[in-house]
Amino acid sequence: MRVAVLLKAVPDLVEELVLDEESGSLQYDEMSYVPSEWDDQALEEALILKEESGAQVTAIAVSTGDVDTMLFTALAKGADHVVKITGDFDASMSNWQQARVLSDYVREQDFDMVLSGVQAIDDVDGQIPGLVAGFLNWPHASVVTEVRMGGDSKVLLRQEYSGGLVAEIEVESPVVIGVQAARKPPRYASVAKVRQVAKSVAIEEVSAGAPAGPAFADIQFVRPVAAGRAEMIEGDVDAVADRIVQILADHNLLRRA
Amino acid sequence: MARDLLMALTIALLLGAAAFFAARMLPLVRVMRRARPTSRLDHWPRRLGFMAGQVLAHKRLLQMKMSGVLHFFIFSGFVILFIDIVDAVGQVFAPGFNIGPALDCVVDIFVALVLIGIVLAVYQRAVLKPERYHGSDERDGYVILGMIAVIMIGIILHESFYPFAAPLLFHVRPGLDPWGFLGYALARVWMATGLAAHPAIAETGYITGYILDIGMVFAFLAYLPTSKHLHIFLAVPSIFLHKTRPHGELVEPLPPEEGMAIRSVADMNWKDVMDLFTCTECGRCQAVCPAHASGQRLSPKMVIIELRDAVRRELAGEPPVPLAGGVVSAEELWACTTCGACQEACPVFIEHVPKIAGLRAALLEDGEIDKSAQKVLVGWDRQGNSFGQPVRKRPAWAKGLDVPIKDARKEPVDWLWFVGDFASYEPRVQNLSRLVARLLQQAGVDFGILYEGEVNSGNDALRMGEYGLFETLAQKNLAMLEKAQFNQIFTTDPHSFNALRNEYRKLGFERPVRHYTQAFLDLIEEGKLNPSPLNLKVTYHDPCYLGRWNRVFDAPRQLLERMGIELVEMPRHGANSFCCGAGGGRIWMEENGVSDRPANIRIREALSLEDVNYFVVACPKDMSMFSAAVQSTNGEERMKVIDVAELLAQAVGLNEPVETAAAT
Amino acid sequence: MGPILIVTESTASGITDSTKECVGKAKELAKVLGTSTVALGFGPGAVDRLRRLDVNKVIAAEDGEFAVYNPAVCENALVQVVAETAPFLTMIPNTTMGLDLGAGLAGRNNIPLIAYCSDLQEQDGKITAVSQVFAGKLLARVPVPGDGAIVTVLPGSWPTGEETGDPVVETISGDYSSRMRVIRVIEPEKGDVDITKADILVSVGRGIESPDNLPLADELAEAMGGVVSCSRPVVDAGWLPKARQVGKSGQTVKPKLYLACGISGAPEHLQGMRDADLIIAVNTDEEASIMEAAHFGTTVDMLDLMPALAERLRGG
Ligand SMILES: Cc1cc2nc3c(=O)[nH]c(=O)nc-3n(C[C@H](O)[C@H](O)[C@H](O)COP(=O)(O)OP(=O)(O)OC[C@H]3O[C@@H](n4cnc5c(N)ncnc54)[C@H](O)[C@@H]3O)c2cc1C
Ligand code: SF4
Ligand code: SF4
């Protein structure tokens, strides 16, 4: 069983999102990047799968910036192999384009399963696993919280719905899975181990042609109006209660039976 | 004839015991030789002096009264036992040999003391049952006490029959020896009852006593290597081989290709291995351990015993079990606050904390760590702070000041202030940081900070087993320190203090570092700050990384004195201070298994003092920990947690309204 | 211009609010754009469920293979419906279904997708989608291309539409089978609540004063459709289980509403709830730090406010 895990770096929300307020464009060069947290979950689930049933795990990232540390970290955690898809790409590369490049690579290879984070903070134009599945025309399930091997190249999944409802799904590979959470929290890769891996193992580089154009040419970003200090609700208990009910209504939070 | 037999028996026993002892000790020596190196043979004079104080004067042992006294009795007995062996064996091999009345007398005095010691020890074990013995090998304890008792009885017995048996066995006629008063008294009894007159009885009595004495001594020798009483042999060398590198340094400089992880016995250094076999299972470490007191599974004693037993099992040919997570559970390992109380209490100077940190490092390499703590490690790697806050916000606390703080990266300063994570990011402590800045400004100190250039010191990362991350952080700070021009460095954070002072040495940083309590005291001595008396009654909590690990006990106390503050000490203070529970990364970890938080235990200790309403701290983490503890022990009415800087600000008339969480 | 297609979703209690929100918005847009609305529903009984929707047309896939939601089967049907109806906009609620179908359809039919849409604005016949990204820190304004797009819509984006329509009803059937099979659907266990999954949290701190007052919080939470969480001292006192604790040493929550009652807002607490969408603080102390983090605050006594609020919410 060969498992591909698609990884991607996203802007670090702890640091500032650098926005040119006038043009509404993000200053991609001025931001710092971290691995998308859901991709971490996907990688963890793949590694659990490897421990359970000996899957071969390949972590793949499109070189939209410095993705080496992310890939070495995947190796340090236990991935068998890492691939960096290079080309004329940068941090502004859209999900649509990345999914194209990734699906082209996956199609050529002989993967039985593709795992990736169900979403990322920056997927304005769609989530990677869904798009990749669509481009490949493979079945796909999102919001998955468990992946196991069944018999005869079958894969067993747990998919979650709102309200805590869970479905058990069986699917014949190949399949694309959007992972919401791994069965266990992602493991830690110590700095020393990542360093050691970086010294001893090489990243496989695969070059890809120019990506297709983005789905949308002109996306503008704006900051939502920031909430400052609390707006104080004045009056007696009844007045306050009335006002809160009103606020709930404004926020669509009144329970509709 | 009988004498020949006795001689043959003595020699056979001796050889047998020696062979047995050697055969059992050799594997240990081999394990130690496989272990990592550590330099423990330097500083001879210092080591000898230290050994004398600890061995001969029982300095540390006597910190626990009853145990110390009874151990001193038994220990002295062992020294004296040696004289007795020479005497007894001499009598057999060189008829008429006598070691002299003075020594005879000393032997008997000590036999009496040993017997008293044994009675006390049995009483302690069987009746008092201190909690610290929980988990120790009780049987072993009794076996040893029994053996010693038998030896003592043997001594007196053969001594008492000697005058009557000697003419028959050795053809000499020693008189009664009143100096050996116990034997003398018993001999009188034999005479009075007429037993002395029967040659058969006299001979049997003597030989029985001799065999009980010498035979048991040799049996003891053979038994030792599998017993915790191996400390009889190892304790003294172990104390000699104690750590002489800076106390607060967790690990010696590591060769780049080697991590600090302890996975197998071979990953420990040889002194670590020796420590395991030196442990006396006395449980003093367990008795002072905050993690143990809070109901967690950790006991420093059990960590040592578990490791020792694992080594023993391996020596017995059993397949090795991973030390981290197997022999010692992850739960135990992550419970440690690295407070160092265990090491402080251990009479044979076992170093628990480096072992625990090494085992943690092994867990970490396998990715096993508390998830909140993991986030903190990732945060240090990315942003350099434990708060998950942006780099740019590190100096945000300094914004509210009237006089801006110099940027030491850009202009030379006299004092460089290493602020630390908590003082930079934690809102309650930020107030204190501003106060410290204003105090320095009032004193006219030319000081600066590194602004965004500072990152966490790495002290906690190292103690969580992340040597690589520690190095990364330290190198970032050192690069900044290299650029900055300053004359002195000080810090408000004991954890940073420890790293800068003890851990950064291995990376080449050797400048003297002061804690702010020391720095402020200096300012007062120099007349730059003039506090007027505050007339308060307070208690003071020694932070582990200021007190125990760095021996700064006096500066904060003198500082309080200079402010006219009356200090009422808690029962546990100074080197015996009781940890708040935050260290070693604990502050970020789940509280699984904690039934009573160390900080709450500590606050209750303070609440038991009469008329004390201020709990003075000198560590930013303590501010957070104890403010919350005062709330959860419902002590807000009685006790207010206050930082020394706040007191000083009051004393010098910087009328900052005192802001602590305890304020109501 | 093609119609606006809404992929509907229903649960045991009927069509979801999110679906109804899309229906309402679709109708409004269809009117200005001069096009029609179509609702697609899956599963037995879909015709009955959708027949009152305020759309022009209903397409129902009622065959047995739709008996339980199967992402791949539904996607196959959707792909075909979209190919046939060529909608200008395809609106899908951004639930598990939206995450399944939206991107899959986009990839397969090569139609651009706008995810996490919280609004669709029309100006001069052009539609701009507003999308909430970067954990709500930024809004993306995405112009919908002339030949249309798929949008997955965040629940709570618009008021729900009325169920007063009388659409044309069409059922479809065909071979939508897939390699994917749903084995079974499991109802959530009734254990202790998972406060990280709740949309609404009524959180109590030491201001609750005594465990005897906890029923007030329970009743309020019940009336709001939320659950009760708390600060650490409340757990320490043994009044609520550890699983309910919000903060540094407890859970990190991000509900739609966090109603903080009698919580001072210590940094360790804020750390666990700062990112809630809406924070309302009830604290008699106007200076309490919780007010810095909250969107709305009030200084009335929580013990009076909780029952008053519960009563209003129950009544209406
Ligand atoms: C390492 C560490 C980890 C911690 N982890 C957590 C954690 O995970 N979660 C957590 O919550 N805390 C945590 N704390 C504790 C934290 O520091 C505070 O002690 C705690 O959050 C305070 O809880 P509180 O707000 O309920 O109580 P208080 O601070 O006492 O606040 C009570 C508030 O209620 C208000 N009030 C009183 N009566 C009324 C009334 N009738 N109506 C309205 N308002 C009223 C008061 O004005 C006051 O502001 C941690 C502390 C440490 C050191
Ligand atoms: S360092 Fe402190 S917490 Fe850790 S084992 Fe020793 S006494 Fe216990
Ligand atoms: S480690 Fe030291 S203090 Fe602890 S039981 Fe052993 S000898 Fe005693």
Side-chain angles (χ1 to χ4, degrees), chain A residues 56-138:
Chain A
Q56 265 235 0
V57 177
T58 305
I60 307 167
V62 180
S63 167
T64 53
D66 178 16
V67 295
D68 290 11
T69 312
M70 185 165 78
L71 291 173
F72 285 131
T73 305
L75 278 172
K77 287 182 177 182
D80 299 288
H81 189 59
V82 292
V83 175
K84 175 164 83 172
I85 306 184
T86 57
D88 186 14
F89 312 140
D90 61 33
S92 69
M93 188 174 187
S94 71
N95 272 7
W96 183 271
Q97 293 168 299
Q98 285 194 50
R100 278 268 186 230
V101 169
L102 287 164
S103 57
D104 288 346
Y105 178 75
V106 169
R107 195 180 291 115
E108 286 166 19
Q109 303 287 317
D110 191 21
F111 289 113
D112 301 295
M113 201 190 302
V114 175
L115 263 55
S116 191
V118 65
Q119 58 183 2
I121 51 170
D122 65 347
D123 29 43
V124 193
D125 59 347
Q127 300 79 11
I128 295 275
L131 291 173
V132 167
F135 292 143
L136 290 170
N137 206 355
W138 288 6

Side-chain angles (χ1 to χ4, degrees), chain A residues 186-200:
Chain A
R187 64 196 72 190
Y188 182 70
S190 73
V191 171
K193 202 159 171 191
V194 174
R195 264 193 224 146
Q196 181 202 330
V197 162
K199 268 189 223 149
S200 53

Side-chain angles (χ1 to χ4, degrees), chain B residues 32 34 38 169 218 232 246 256 260 335 399 424 457 486-487 561 584 608 635:
Chain B
M32 279 171 62
R34 265 198 297 139
T38 172
L169 290 170
F218 293 153
I232 294 169
M260 66 185 272
K399 284 218 181 90
S424 299
S457 70
F486 58 92
N487 296 320
E561 200 185 306
S608 73

Side-chain angles (χ1 to χ4, degrees), chain C residues 25-257:
Chain C
K25 190 69 187 179
K27 183 181 176 192
E28 179 194 319
L29 287 175
K31 205 161 153 197
V32 284
L33 295 174
T35 182
S36 63
T37 55
V38 181
L40 169 64
F42 304 112
V47 172
D48 287 339
R49 278 197 302 277
L50 304 187
R51 101 159 345 128
R52 306 293 302 152
L53 275 190
D54 197 3
V55 290
N56 300 99
K57 181 177 173 184
V58 161
I59 301 176
E62 289 202 303
D63 287 354
E65 55 192 335
F66 297 98
V68 287
Y69 169 73
N70 176 325
V73 170
C74 290
E75 189 179 292
N76 287 343
L78 175 63
V79 162
Q80 192 199 320
V81 168
V82 168
E84 283 166 8
T85 52
F88 168 64
L89 276 181
T90 304
M91 296 169 77
I92 317 177
N94 187 65
T95 54
T96 300
M97 182 187 80
L99 288 164
D100 282 336
L101 305 185
L105 172 67
R108 281 172 74 177
N109 290 21
N110 206 10
I111 304 170
L113 164 70
I114 303 160
Y116 318 124
C117 174
S118 62
D119 202 8
L120 288 166
Q121 297 164 351
E122 183 270 345
Q123 200 178 14
D124 308 328
K126 294 230 165 17
I127 310 286
T128 302
V130 178
S131 169
Q132 256 183 36
V133 281
F134 297 111
K137 292 201 167 177
L138 290 184
L139 298 175
R141 299 178 53 82
V142 189
V144 174
D147 38 8
I150 305 162
V151 289
T152 50
V153 181
L154 294 176
S157 292
W158 304 294
T160 49
E162 320 247 306
E163 289 191 65
T164 54
D166 186 16
V168 181
V169 176
E170 179 191 317
T171 55
I172 52 167
S173 59
D175 179 14
Y176 304 119
S177 65
S178 150
R179 286 184 268 133
M180 191 178 277
R181 196 169 67 82
V182 177
I183 302 172
R184 60 185 183 131
V185 177
I186 309 160
E187 295 284 334
E189 286 165 37
K190 284 262 181 283
D192 194 38
V193 284
D194 181 352
I195 59 170
T196 61
K197 297 223 165 106
D199 279 342
I200 294 179
L201 287 176
V202 174
S203 207
V204 294
R206 290 209 305 166
I208 190 87
E209 282 171 11
S210 133
D212 302 341
N213 293 326
L214 278 174
L216 297 178
D218 284 332
E219 280 157 30
L220 176 57
E222 161 98 58
M224 297 181 105
V227 295
V228 175
S229 59
C230 63
S231 68
R232 193 171 81 169
V234 175
V235 173
D236 286 353
W239 298 346
L240 282 171
K242 179 87 185 168
R244 303 284 185 114
Q245 181 187 323
V246 172
K248 177 175 184 165
S249 51
Q251 308 281 344
T252 300
V253 298
K254 195 180 175 304
K256 297 209 170 83
L257 169 65

Side-chain angles (χ1 to χ4, degrees), chain B residues 279-285 301 346-348 350 352:
Chain B
C279 173
T280 69
E281 300 190 12
C282 70
R284 285 164 185 249
C285 53
K301 175 184 78 179
C346 179
V348 291
I350 285 173
H352 309 73

Side-chain angles (χ1 to χ4, degrees), chain A residues 12 14-15 186 188 191 193 195, chain B residues 365 367 383 391 466 468 472:
Chain A
D12 184 357
V14 173
E15 300 297 337
Y188 182 70
V191 171
K193 202 159 171 191
R195 264 193 224 146
Chain B
E365 275 186 9
Q383 276 87 32
V391 175
E466 243 296 20
T472 311

Side-chain angles (χ1 to χ4, degrees), chain C residues 273-297:
Chain C
M273 43 62 75
R274 191 180 275 124
D275 290 335
D277 294 346
L278 176 66
I279 300 168
I280 303 180
V282 185
N283 194 313
T284 42
D285 176 8
E286 191 170 355
E287 298 298 315
S289 337
I290 189 79
M291 297 301 178
E292 305 290 338
H295 303 89
F296 295 94

